[in-house]
Amino acid sequence: MNAGPLAGIRILEVGHILAGPYATMMLADLGAEVTKIEPATGDLSRQVSDAYFASLNRGKRSICLDLTTEAGQARLGELASEAHALIVNLKPSAIRKFGLTYEALQKWNDKIVCVALTGYGLDQGDDPAFDYVIQAVTGVASLTGDPDGPPTLPGYSAADNSTGLTAALGLLAQIISGKGGQVDVSLRDVMLSQLNYRASAYLNEGTEPRRMPNGAHSYYVPAQLFPTADGYLALFVTHDGFWRTFSAEAGIEGFATMAERAANRDEVLAVVSAALATDTAKSWEARLRPLQVPAAAIRTLPEALAENPGMVVKAGTFSLVGNPIRISGYEPEYGAPPALGEHGALPS
């Protein structure tokens, strides 16, 4: 089996729960050697459940260090001297207190890349910043849900996961540059960035974003969830070719252009809803998929996992969702999540 594309890259990780550990797990899957530096009490995700911890920490090493002591700082320096990068997600004050910045570690290794993953930025203070809080302050929650209901949060940790991936990208970009340095990635900035076209519409056209019924797209019509005779169907008509094919299958006439459909949104949605109500969501999917019309019946997570067994992998005794990056000639070896201090424990 070929070595991963990141074989030989050594990464240190300090932090808790999700964003940082998710970033380093993606890198470990691709061959990097990732060492978690944990306090005696361990990453807080160990307290949630073994399955939770495993979902973010497969294939890593674990070393226990007390970074408040001289011995702990000396060991940190030794590890940094041999590492290519460090990812840390803690409060900015803790990152500096524990010497986890490039400024502090460059004396050990001037090529090390230090990635600070924080709520608002390394120089923006310690205000609490967890996933749901960030979704609130960036407008994501205000854009999610039906207009007649309350703001809604996605059913997973969108801000943490997105920021983890962005941090991994920043880390690799700086490594490729051949220079050490500080990389600063915040949950707030990542989520604002991901509001791209919604933000652009407001900044350039004055169009204030608003929630749409059934998750409707702000530009494309019809593109939303629709009730059917049984279940809900996600239909995503993004151009006139899709509309021609869909409308022929559904027996709908008129509204040939996107501009016409957008101008007559309510009327279009009414006729589409009436047509889709004549059959089930699964049947509509079966009819539309061969026609290359973007449509799918809503699944539960267990249903989605059952339909995609190739994405479920074994990591030790745990069944987990595998890495989504597929590289020709390389198949990740998914290692078990490490026991606390398995590769170096605090002196007893």
Side-chain angles (χ1 to χ4, degrees):
M1 183 173 294
N2 293 337
L6 297 182
I9 299 296
R10 294 179 296 278
I11 300 171
L12 306 177
E13 173 213 305
V14 180
H16 297 281
I17 301 293
L18 211 161
Y22 181 63
T24 54
M25 186 179 74
M26 291 292 103
L27 299 171
D29 288 343
L30 297 177
E33 179 186 280
V34 175
T35 299
K36 290 180 69 71
I37 297 175
E38 302 185 71
T41 51
D43 179 334
L44 290 173
S45 66
R46 291 183 183 274
Q47 301 174 23
V48 180
S49 75
D50 290 342
Y52 188 107
F53 179 79
S55 73
L56 299 165
N57 293 286
R58 62 178 175 236
K60 301 180 185 179
R61 305 169 71 246
S62 171
I63 292 178
C64 282
L65 289 183
D66 183 351
L67 296 177
T68 66
T69 66
E70 289 187 9
Q73 283 293 311
R75 180 59 178 142
L76 171 65
E78 293 172 0
L79 292 169
S81 70
E82 300 176 348
H84 295 89
L86 162 73
I87 281 187
V88 53
N89 69 303
L90 295 170
K91 291 181 179 181
S93 63
I95 292 174
R96 290 193 169 89
K97 174 184 176 182
F98 296 137
L100 300 170
T101 63
Y102 179 74
E103 181 181 13
L105 293 176
Q106 63 178 324
K107 64 184 178 183
W108 298 95
N109 178 0
D110 64 2
K111 296 291 188 182
I112 193 169
V113 175
C114 294
V115 182
L117 203 162
T118 64
Y120 302 100
L122 188 54
D123 296 318
Q124 299 300 312
D126 280 355
D127 286 344
F130 292 85
D131 189 284
Y132 286 7
V133 173
I134 293 299
Q135 293 193 48
V137 303
T138 57
V140 173
S142 73
L143 295 174
T144 310
D146 279 341
D148 295 332
T152 304
L153 296 169
Y156 77 110
S157 299
D160 279 338
N161 282 295
S162 297
T163 306
L165 292 175
T166 306
L169 175 62
L171 178 152
L172 293 174
Q174 188 64 15
I175 285 180
I176 289 173
S177 78
K179 299 180 292 185
Q182 185 69 53
V183 177
D184 189 359
V185 179
S186 76
L187 276 76
R188 178 198 60 194
D189 293 354
V190 168
M191 296 313 290
L192 287 173
S193 170
Q194 292 196 350
L195 291 173
N196 37 53
Y197 66 85
R198 303 300 293 265
S200 181
Y202 174 71
L203 292 170
N204 297 290
E205 302 166 359
T207 303
E208 187 166 345
R210 58 190 177 92
R211 296 200 297 277
M212 306 282 278
N214 298 302
H217 197 278
S218 56
Y219 288 103
Y220 307 130
V221 181
Q224 62 179 65
L225 302 181
F226 289 93
T228 70
D230 182 23
Y232 280 80
L233 182 81
L235 178 67
F236 205 65
V237 175
T238 59
H239 61 69
D240 296 339
F242 285 154
W243 174 254
R244 284 192 296 272
T245 306
F246 167 72
S247 60
E249 179 68 19
I252 298 171
E253 297 181 354
F255 313 109
T257 67
M258 181 61 74
E260 186 178 359
R261 292 192 298 278
N264 297 277
R265 177 185 286 267
D266 291 344
E267 187 176 353
V268 172
L269 296 182
V271 297
V272 171
S273 295
L276 293 178
T278 64
D279 207 345
T280 68
K282 289 185 178 179
S283 180
W284 276 114
E285 179 182 306
R287 291 166 60 178
L288 295 173
R289 180 169 288 183
L291 301 176
Q292 300 297 300
V293 175
I298 298 298
R299 272 89 161 155
T300 64
L301 175 58
E303 289 171 339
L305 291 173
E307 290 181 4
N308 297 278
M311 276 300 293
V312 178
V313 302
K314 294 295 290 187
T317 60
F318 294 93
S319 295
L320 303 170
V321 176
N323 195 294
I325 301 171
R326 302 187 187 278
I327 297 173
S328 178
Y330 172 66
E331 188 68 30
E333 292 185 6
Y334 295 106
L340 179 61
E342 179 178 346
H343 302 91
L346 288 170
S348 57

